[in-house]
Amino acid sequence: MYGVCGCCGALRPRYKRLVDNIFPEDSEDGLVKANMEKLTFYALSAPEKLDRIGAYLSERLSRDVSRHRYGYVCIAMEALDQLLMACHCQSINLFVESFLKMVAKLLESEKPNLQILGTNSFVKFANIEEDTPSYHRSYDFFVSRFSEMCHSSYEDMEIRTKIRMAGIKGLQGVVRKTVNDELQANIWDPQHMDKIVPSLLYNLQNIEETESPVGSMYMNLCALPVSSFTIVLGEAKTWQPQSTGGIILKGKGAVQGGRALSRSPSPLQSADKEKESPAELAERCLRELLGRAAYGNIKNAIKPVLMHLDNHSLWEPKVFAIQCFKIIMYSIQPQHSHLVIQQLLSHLDANSKSAATVRAGIVEVLSEAAVIAATGSVGPTVLEVFNTLLRQLRLSIDYELTGSYDSAGNVGTKIIKEHEERMFQEAVIKTIGSFASTLPAYQRSEVMLFIMGKVPLPSMHHPMEPVKPGENRNRLMQIMLLKSLLQVSLGFQCSNMLTALPSSFLDPLLSSTLMEDAELRLFVLEILVSLIDRHDNRHKFSTISTVPDIAVLKLKVDKCSRQDTLFMKKHSQQLYRHIYLSCNDPCNVQAHYEALYALLVMISIELANEEVVVDLIRLVLAVQDLALNNEDNLPAYNRCALHALCAAYLNLISQLTTVPAFCQHIHEVIEMRKKEGPYLLPEDIFVEKPRWSKSVDQIDTELLFLQSKVSEVLGGSGYNSDRLSTPYVPQLTDEDRLSKRKSIGETISLQVEVESRNSPEKEEKAPAEEITFETLKKAIVDSVAVEEQERERRRQVVEKFQKAPFEEIAAHCGARASLLQSKLNQIFELTIRPPPSPSGTITAAYGQPQNHSIPVYEMKFPDLCVY
């Protein structure tokens, strides 16, 4: 019965007759528009027939494809497209299934133009918002097929370019269709992301391919924007087979078909799209994909990128890897940046035993990503980021020293090149600085404290284990960590240094200035300069010189704040002491003196008030005495360098204080040195070929800065003349014993004694008591007896206050108060009239000798003095 109906056209169902009528006798005539309008009206009037229409169109298209009737194939796809865009009813899902089946049929074809035709239809479908949800539709085939098209290796370059661009557009369509629909297949699953992302990266990587020229009308189909529902077809179409097996759609003019067309592109827009290359299209698609990624999907989108870079060895040139992650960082939402950084850190840990060039590439990408993600924080686990980088730094040092990734040194392990490991270490240090530059001041201070805690110092009980001759692991760790700390400190600015630089950080940092290694001490000095320099004045003092007028330097100077004053009250003496001891090192070279000079200048500019200025002048005059007396047998160059350092600093501080008499004295000494002792000025010492004199033991008084003269001229301008006339004497601490500097320790112990070198009378030291076994035994027994007596006395006091009458207790407390007041009166009397100073006498302004005394709170007492 059905066969008879098929033979007689009048007995066939109406929808089949309407479908048959849209096909002309000659495919070159194109779609019959009047009949297509009838078919569309019928589909809208009887939506229940839409699925049958789709099935019948699909049947005809399959038959035409198998018979190579490509003109009718194009007409069938055009009809499907118009029906799909015109009809939005409840039964649209079955029609879509037929449509997708036809698209899949075209994509499976070996003909490039059929693949492109199917892709264009799918892209139009992807831009349609469906009114009814679909629960069973799957796009797995399309993801796989479009990804395969992205990797096309067709012989003809022009056709290969078209196929790849079609594949990219198809993937873009799949993403748009599924990314915001929870009922559709989850495109963010690893099984899909592992195909989509590498396909886009593959086309990004192959940017050397030439742009395809604008040729056939098929390319116009490929070039249409995905937001446009325009179908471009020639009025007079002629299909001709090519030698490559493809087809060309010839014709002139273009018409728009379908009622649901939204808009057509402008000629300028179409031209731009036609010129677009696969790399540009892939980048646009990747940006769109990442821009749609939610918080939980970032990991699945980034992991394929990392695997692609691993599989194709793209970390070593690192140019493409950096380009990829720049696209990623600029495309994702800013609050998701730390997820990308965490993925990179995890990947770095996973490749901890890879080649140094690979790890360096990952670290370089991290550095670039950190700069882009400069939003004030790199996530909730800031210290975890730095801990990972420092761990990689330590592993790299181990690899460099052992020469193998395997600590056991088994045979067959990969040989490590030291210069590659050094390159990786420098990359890690640079990355640490990049991360730190994105942090606010309070987090950066935490990072500096964290890094400082990793530095192996003698005071921290780190054993110094030599690994091979001339080198040790701890020294390399010290160098790398201090380099990292220097990178973090660059650009560090905070209003309250007291909280930003706590004692737990400054104490170990300053103790590092006493280490024997000259390179380490130089790093510490540079770190201190960077921390104190908050107005970017450091580069103006890169060299030491006696500037005639500091106005040419255009210094940025602010008034010392209350927080800075509190900081200096707490840490000034510690800073002065380490500067003094650093000057007394015979291993110092020009770089050390330049860093010391910069440190003195930065303190004077950033943290100085009147009291600090006085202390700095005393410190520099003490350094001059250090070079003059030479108790530690410094070389001649170092002594001349200290004199030149003092001259340069006093020249600067005299201009900052703007005291005319002080400036005149400094200027006179500098001019005298230019005539008679140029080797005492920085212009002769701190040059490429320094000139110094070995006869620095005998320097005329006219060539020295006199403490008495400085005290006199500054005292007349309101400065504390008593303090200025008191020589600076550093204190001896346990830190000096840890620094292993016996000569400095002996020098300080001699200076701690309350006596002056100029004093004619010196007290004789009491002979030291001989310590024997009996003495120690007696001391132990006596201490036990004293503890028993103290315990009994406390018991009696408690019992007395519990049982004694109130009047007796009040009388006892009154007597103790009177005793306390008398002691206070004695202390006040000693403070007002202190004992004679061991510094001797100086001539006052009126020509009469006047005693200057050291205040009680500044007097230095021997260590065994009991209060």
Side-chain angles (χ1 to χ4, degrees), residues 476-542:
L476 288 177
M477 278 300 298
Q478 288 171 346
I479 291 176
M480 294 303 167
L481 290 175
L482 289 177
K483 278 186 178 180
S484 304
L485 196 57
L486 179 59
Q487 288 292 323
V488 176
S489 64
L490 294 176
F492 178 74
Q493 294 182 0
C494 63
S495 57
N496 191 350
M497 295 189 68
L498 191 62
T499 56
L501 303 176
S503 299
S504 55
F505 169 74
L506 278 181
D507 290 346
L509 180 64
L510 290 174
S511 67
S512 303
T513 60
L514 303 182
M515 291 190 292
E516 295 180 347
D517 195 300
E519 185 179 4
L520 297 177
R521 288 188 285 108
L522 182 58
F523 280 128
V524 175
L525 292 174
E526 291 291 346
I527 291 169
L528 288 171
V529 172
S530 298
L531 293 175
I532 298 175
D533 181 21
R534 293 175 293 182
H535 293 85
D536 196 22
N537 291 315
R538 172 66 178 93
H539 66 281
K540 301 173 184 177
F541 301 97
S542 56

Side-chain angles (χ1 to χ4, degrees), residues 664-677:
Q664 182 180 359
H665 172 63
I666 302 301
H667 179 70
E668 290 175 354
V669 175
I670 291 176
E671 290 298 323
M672 189 64 65
R673 287 187 178 186
K674 289 181 180 179
K675 297 177 182 178
E676 301 183 8

Side-chain angles (χ1 to χ4, degrees), residues 326-339:
K326 281 186 176 180
I327 294 173
I328 293 171
M329 298 303 293
Y330 283 121
S331 301
I332 62 175
Q333 301 179 24
Q335 60 269 28
H336 299 163
S337 299
H338 68 279
L339 294 176

Side-chain angles (χ1 to χ4, degrees), residues 688-727:
E688 185 177 355
K689 295 181 179 180
R691 299 182 296 272
W692 71 90
S693 174
K694 295 183 179 180
S695 60
V696 288
D697 295 327
Q698 300 174 353
I699 300 179
D700 295 337
T701 308
E702 293 82 4
L703 302 179
L704 297 175
F705 302 100
L706 302 178
Q707 187 161 9
S708 58
K709 183 66 175 178
V710 172
S711 176
E712 178 183 348
V713 295
L714 288 179
S717 299
Y719 287 88
N720 189 343
S721 59
D722 290 341
R723 191 173 182 85
L724 280 168
S725 61
T726 305

Side-chain angles (χ1 to χ4, degrees), residues 212-332:
S212 58
V214 181
S216 64
M217 292 297 294
Y218 251 124
M219 196 58 204
N220 291 339
L221 283 173
C222 296
L224 288 177
V226 291
S227 59
S228 175
F229 302 149
T230 305
I231 302 177
V232 180
L233 292 171
E235 292 183 350
K237 295 172 280 295
T238 303
W239 293 95
Q240 293 181 355
Q242 288 182 336
S243 60
T244 57
I247 23 183
I248 298 178
L249 181 60
K250 291 186 177 180
K252 56 182 178 179
V255 294
Q256 297 177 355
R259 297 181 178 179
L261 303 183
S262 61
R263 61 183 179 87
S264 61
S266 64
L268 181 61
Q269 184 181 7
S270 298
D272 293 341
K273 294 298 181 182
E274 289 171 0
K275 295 179 181 179
E276 195 172 34
S277 65
E280 294 170 344
L281 184 60
E283 179 180 346
R284 187 155 54 89
C285 183
L286 182 62
R287 289 181 184 276
E288 182 178 346
L289 173 67
L290 295 169
R292 295 172 180 266
Y295 184 88
N297 301 326
I298 292 292
K299 181 178 179 180
N300 291 340
I302 301 302
K303 187 176 180 180
V305 178
L306 299 173
M307 298 304 297
H308 180 82
L309 297 175
D310 286 343
N311 296 335
H312 295 271
S313 302
L314 296 173
W315 291 111
E316 296 181 21
K318 71 190 174 186
V319 177
F320 179 73
I322 291 176
Q323 177 192 359
C324 286
F325 275 90
K326 281 186 176 180
I327 294 173
I328 293 171
M329 298 303 293
Y330 283 121
S331 301
I332 62 175

Side-chain angles (χ1 to χ4, degrees), residues 130-398:
E130 300 182 49
D131 297 335
T132 56
S134 175
Y135 299 94
H136 58 280
R137 193 178 302 162
S138 174
Y139 296 95
D140 294 355
F141 167 78
F142 295 99
V143 172
S144 301
R145 184 56 184 157
F146 288 137
S147 299
E148 183 180 350
M149 292 171 64
C150 290
H151 292 82
S152 174
S153 58
Y154 204 85
E155 295 179 358
D156 186 271
M157 179 176 293
E158 181 181 351
I159 297 177
R160 180 168 69 242
T161 301
K162 294 177 183 179
I163 295 175
R164 288 186 181 181
M165 292 189 70
I168 297 170
K169 290 180 180 179
L171 291 177
Q172 191 177 33
V174 173
V175 172
R176 289 181 176 179
K177 193 65 179 175
T178 60
V179 71
N180 293 324
D181 193 348
E182 296 180 356
L183 300 176
Q184 302 288 357
N186 189 2
I187 202 65
W188 300 107
D189 287 343
Q191 59 179 348
H192 299 311
M193 284 290 104
D194 290 346
K195 298 175 182 177
I196 295 175
V197 175
S199 300
L200 299 177
L201 294 179
Y202 178 77
N203 286 274
L204 265 177
Q205 181 182 351
N206 291 274
I207 59 176
E208 73 278 358
E209 295 190 1
T210 58
E211 296 180 353
S212 58
V214 181
S216 64
M217 292 297 294
Y218 251 124
M219 196 58 204
N220 291 339
L221 283 173
C222 296
L224 288 177
V226 291
S227 59
S228 175
F229 302 149
T230 305
I231 302 177
V232 180
L233 292 171
E235 292 183 350
K237 295 172 280 295
T238 303
W239 293 95
Q240 293 181 355
Q242 288 182 336
S243 60
T244 57
I247 23 183
I248 298 178
L249 181 60
K250 291 186 177 180
K252 56 182 178 179
V255 294
Q256 297 177 355
R259 297 181 178 179
L261 303 183
S262 61
R263 61 183 179 87
S264 61
S266 64
L268 181 61
Q269 184 181 7
S270 298
D272 293 341
K273 294 298 181 182
E274 289 171 0
K275 295 179 181 179
E276 195 172 34
S277 65
E280 294 170 344
L281 184 60
E283 179 180 346
R284 187 155 54 89
C285 183
L286 182 62
R287 289 181 184 276
E288 182 178 346
L289 173 67
L290 295 169
R292 295 172 180 266
Y295 184 88
N297 301 326
I298 292 292
K299 181 178 179 180
N300 291 340
I302 301 302
K303 187 176 180 180
V305 178
L306 299 173
M307 298 304 297
H308 180 82
L309 297 175
D310 286 343
N311 296 335
H312 295 271
S313 302
L314 296 173
W315 291 111
E316 296 181 21
K318 71 190 174 186
V319 177
F320 179 73
I322 291 176
Q323 177 192 359
C324 286
F325 275 90
K326 281 186 176 180
I327 294 173
I328 293 171
M329 298 303 293
Y330 283 121
S331 301
I332 62 175
Q333 301 179 24
Q335 60 269 28
H336 299 163
S337 299
H338 68 279
L339 294 176
V340 179
I341 293 175
Q342 287 180 354
Q343 285 288 100
L344 284 169
L345 290 171
S346 300
H347 197 66
L348 180 61
D349 280 338
N351 286 272
S352 59
K353 291 188 177 181
S354 299
T357 52
V358 173
R359 286 178 282 132
I362 300 175
V363 170
E364 288 284 349
V365 172
L366 264 171
S367 178
E368 296 290 339
V371 174
I372 297 173
T375 56
S377 174
V378 292
T381 55
V382 176
L383 294 181
E384 194 175 305
V385 173
F386 290 92
N387 189 34
T388 301
L389 293 174
L390 294 179
R391 181 170 62 251
Q392 292 297 324
L393 197 62
R394 180 180 57 81
L395 288 175
S396 177
I397 292 174
D398 291 341

Side-chain angles (χ1 to χ4, degrees), residues 39-82:
L39 177 62
T40 304
F41 178 78
Y42 177 77
L44 292 173
S45 303
E48 68 277 2
K49 301 291 185 179
L50 188 60
D51 57 331
R52 299 184 182 183
I53 295 173
Y56 185 60
L57 274 171
S58 175
E59 179 184 345
R60 287 205 55 156
L61 189 142
S62 299
R63 185 170 63 248
D64 292 335
V65 168
S66 61
R67 294 177 180 178
H68 304 287
R69 301 169 63 182
Y70 300 120
Y72 290 111
V73 171
C74 182
I75 293 173
M77 287 306 302
E78 183 181 357
L80 282 170
D81 291 341
Q82 291 193 25

